[in-house]
Amino acid sequence: MKTSNQKIKSYLVIVNSPKGSIENDNEEFISLTLSAGTVISGITYVNIKKFNRNTLIGKGKLQSIKEDLEAVDIDLIIFNKDLIASQERNLEKILKYPVIDRSRLILDIFARRAQTNSGKLQVELAQLKHLSTRLIRGWTHLERQKGGIGLRGPGEKQLETDRRLLQERIRSIELKLKKLHTQRKTNRKSRNKVMKNVALVGYTNAGKSTLFNSLSNSKTFVADKMFTTLDPIFRPISISKNRRVVISDTVGFIRELPSELIEAFLSTLEEISDADLLIHVLDSSDRFMHQNKQSVESILKQIGADQIPTIYAYNKIDLVKKGLDLLNTYQHIEVSAKEDIGTETLIESIALMINPQPIKTILRINVNESKIRAQIYSIANVIQECLINENTLELTVEIDERNLLRLKKNKKIKAIESKLSTSSKRI
Ligand SMILES: Nc1nc2c(ncn2[C@@H]2O[C@H](COP(=O)(O)OP(=O)(O)OP(=O)(O)O)[C@@H](O)[C@H]2O)c(=O)[nH]1
Ligand SMILES: [Mg+2]
């Protein structure tokens, strides 16, 4: 493995598909290769009318790349399109260098960025799943040829063992992630009782972490790289005098996120689908802002988060000279996380969108009503519980107005909005 000052030298093959590709794809692909920490030693653009099944691009172009490669010093070839396993193998055979595709590139970036235990496990799971499709394909490919070249015995067995080990590792990671997931769900539940969850979402590099820092006065790592943040981070922030919400910063999105990654990151993404409010951060200085917005929205739909109330924060407004022609509502706000413009308005909007407010209340129930007591615990944050006489239990709680109304409908619950009874006996 190379150290950071001895970067991997890459050669990029940018294939423009028959339908014509948007320029953004190419710029974005180049950013991805830089974010992965490689230096670009050469680029070639290929326009093709029809994909070649075996090598993606045609023989003539492959020959010219081969000649090109003789003059440059490289370690790796990266294709901007996804390759199937056999294409990858054929290309490696012809070009005599390791070949990776866009999905593998993104997986590698994620692997470099993952820091927490769960982040690392999720990335490993995605990588193994990616690999397993390749091994299985490799297997069938060899099986087809075995009669001709006598590939019976150890080679075949090795693949089978590899495949079995791979499946075992996948299962063991899935189990570990399941446990972590349950843990996170419990944490989320206890958080949810009183404080609402606000999740920052958006295309990678839109400025989510910078906005998170400016809203929460924290120091989350920010960089002009893609996928800087992988693991979700939470912080309570004040949105009004007595009102706090939990804000979270998570992984950025990109169009055509490899499916293995979405699958592996589903539990992380659940933080988003469980949120009460989304702040969709947009990079208003990016001329592909609208396309990126659509890509994010399509992923939100995939994870079942498209119905959550959303505020659109048009970030990096300091870089936009003309200003934006926005709908004048509190759901569309121009901000600059870097220059601290519009963040106050954003907080006011969050407060407006997050309703109702939690109320501190005293509830009294009969001491034998264990079901009602459990119900109160499930929807309210119980601060104190006292027995005020032989039959009456008094609970001091923080609760949403809506849930309080629900409880008040129950005649067996008496709600008293007064201070704590000092004579009460603690149990
Ligand atoms: N000019 C300007 N730059 C900004 C603003 N907000 C963020 N940036 C820059 O944009 C780059 C990306 O910011 P991040 O906050 O890391 O973006 P992110 O959305 O968290 O990115 P990922 O975690 O990689 O998905 C950094 O170089 C920031 O300094 C802003 O309001 N104005
Ligand atoms: Mg970030």
Side-chain angles (χ1 to χ4, degrees), residues 38-176:
T38 75
V39 285
I40 302 171
S41 299
I43 304 186
T44 188
Y45 291 87
V46 188
N47 289 314
I48 48 172
K49 289 199 181 75
K50 206 171 151 243
F51 290 124
N52 182 307
R53 258 190 67 213
N54 299 324
T55 48
L56 190 80
I57 56 178
K59 268 198 192 125
K61 190 63 202 178
L62 269 178
Q63 193 50 42
S64 90
I65 292 177
K66 249 184 116 166
E67 284 161 20
D68 211 14
L69 290 179
E70 281 167 17
V72 286
D73 173 24
I74 66 152
D75 304 300
L76 180 71
I77 301 172
I78 315 177
F79 274 69
N80 71 328
K81 289 271 179 292
D82 281 343
L83 299 166
I84 54 171
S86 58
Q87 288 173 336
E88 219 172 80
R89 258 195 328 268
N90 294 335
L91 286 166
E92 283 183 351
K93 232 185 262 166
I94 297 167
L95 298 172
K96 310 263 186 294
Y97 282 102
V99 170
I100 66 167
D101 63 4
R102 183 178 178 273
S103 280
R104 209 8 232 291
L105 182 65
I106 295 176
L107 284 172
D108 285 359
I109 298 176
F110 271 64
R112 287 166 68 103
R113 301 273 196 277
Q115 295 203 335
T116 62
N117 187 22
S118 83
K120 284 182 184 154
L121 285 172
Q122 288 174 106
V123 176
E124 191 185 343
L125 182 64
Q127 285 180 314
L128 291 176
K129 287 200 164 163
H130 187 76
L131 188 66
S132 75
T133 59
R134 268 137 228 257
L135 261 189
I136 289 163
R137 287 214 192 97
W139 166 250
T140 47
H141 160 79
L142 289 176
E143 239 186 359
R144 255 186 280 120
Q145 297 191 348
K146 74 185 171 198
I149 50 170
L151 234 174
R152 274 209 162 276
E156 198 177 329
K157 263 203 191 109
Q158 186 56 48
L159 268 176
E160 203 169 0
T161 319
D162 288 352
R163 199 155 48 132
R164 194 170 43 76
L165 288 175
L166 205 71
Q167 291 310 326
E168 270 170 26
R169 180 76 189 140
I170 286 177
R171 260 195 300 278
S172 122
I173 294 179
E174 279 176 338
L175 213 73
K176 282 187 198 153

Side-chain angles (χ1 to χ4, degrees), residues 93-321:
K93 232 185 262 166
I94 297 167
L95 298 172
K96 310 263 186 294
Y97 282 102
V99 170
I100 66 167
D101 63 4
R102 183 178 178 273
S103 280
R104 209 8 232 291
L105 182 65
I106 295 176
L107 284 172
D108 285 359
I109 298 176
F110 271 64
R112 287 166 68 103
R113 301 273 196 277
Q115 295 203 335
T116 62
N117 187 22
S118 83
K120 284 182 184 154
L121 285 172
Q122 288 174 106
V123 176
E124 191 185 343
L125 182 64
Q127 285 180 314
L128 291 176
K129 287 200 164 163
H130 187 76
L131 188 66
S132 75
T133 59
R134 268 137 228 257
L135 261 189
I136 289 163
R137 287 214 192 97
W139 166 250
T140 47
H141 160 79
L142 289 176
E143 239 186 359
R144 255 186 280 120
Q145 297 191 348
K146 74 185 171 198
I149 50 170
L151 234 174
R152 274 209 162 276
E156 198 177 329
K157 263 203 191 109
Q158 186 56 48
L159 268 176
E160 203 169 0
T161 319
D162 288 352
R163 199 155 48 132
R164 194 170 43 76
L165 288 175
L166 205 71
Q167 291 310 326
E168 270 170 26
R169 180 76 189 140
I170 286 177
R171 260 195 300 278
S172 122
I173 294 179
E174 279 176 338
L175 213 73
K176 282 187 198 153
L177 281 174
K178 212 171 160 187
K179 275 190 198 146
L180 286 169
H181 184 201
T182 319
Q183 171 86 48
R184 200 142 55 182
K185 225 172 173 168
T186 320
N187 292 347
R188 196 157 57 222
K189 256 196 183 152
S190 55
R191 261 200 334 254
N192 279 357
K193 277 188 195 161
V194 174
M195 287 210 253
K196 296 283 184 186
N197 288 304
V198 179
L200 290 165
V201 297
Y203 212 72
T204 181
N205 222 35
K208 297 175 296 299
S209 299
T210 314
L211 191 59
F212 178 80
N213 287 347
S214 121
L215 292 173
S216 67
N217 300 319
S218 66
K219 290 199 175 61
T220 299
F221 186 57
V222 169
D224 199 7
K225 281 184 183 166
M226 299 164 104
F227 305 116
T228 315
T229 316
L230 271 200
D231 303 300
I233 315 168
F234 306 93
R235 197 129 311 148
I237 63 160
S238 288
I239 53 165
S240 62
K241 213 168 149 209
N242 331 304
R243 198 70 211 279
R244 297 205 305 167
V245 294
V246 173
I247 189 157
S248 63
D249 179 22
T250 45
V251 59
F253 296 165
I254 191 168
R255 87 176 48 82
E256 288 167 39
L257 205 57
S259 58
E260 296 98 347
L261 265 181
I262 297 196
E263 213 181 296
F265 273 79
L266 262 186
S267 62
T268 297
L269 297 174
E270 225 170 64
E271 295 290 350
I272 296 173
S273 42
D274 260 13
D276 300 289
L277 176 70
L278 302 181
I279 300 175
H280 185 156
V281 184
L282 301 147
D283 178 351
S284 43
S285 71
D286 187 338
R287 61 206 161 96
F288 295 101
M289 176 179 81
H290 292 289
Q291 271 116 307
N292 295 350
K293 179 168 173 267
Q294 279 170 11
S295 302
V296 170
E297 281 167 349
S298 102
I299 296 171
L300 288 175
K301 199 164 178 186
Q302 271 181 65
I303 59 168
D306 54 330
Q307 299 298 326
I308 303 172
T310 305
I311 295 175
Y312 297 89
Y314 293 81
N315 191 33
K316 308 197 189 180
I317 203 69
D318 54 299
L319 299 177
V320 182
K321 286 202 185 81

Side-chain angles (χ1 to χ4, degrees), residues 325-361:
D325 201 9
L326 292 186
L327 292 169
N328 195 15
T329 72
Y330 58 83
Q331 268 180 278
H332 298 263
I333 302 160
E334 293 181 2
V335 296
S336 166
K338 208 170 179 181
E339 306 293 329
D340 206 12
I341 302 168
T343 41
E344 286 296 315
T345 322
L346 179 60
I347 289 179
E348 282 164 23
S349 293
I350 299 173
L352 270 174
M353 299 277 286
I354 296 275
N355 239 344
Q357 307 228 349
I359 299 166
K360 199 168 173 183
T361 304

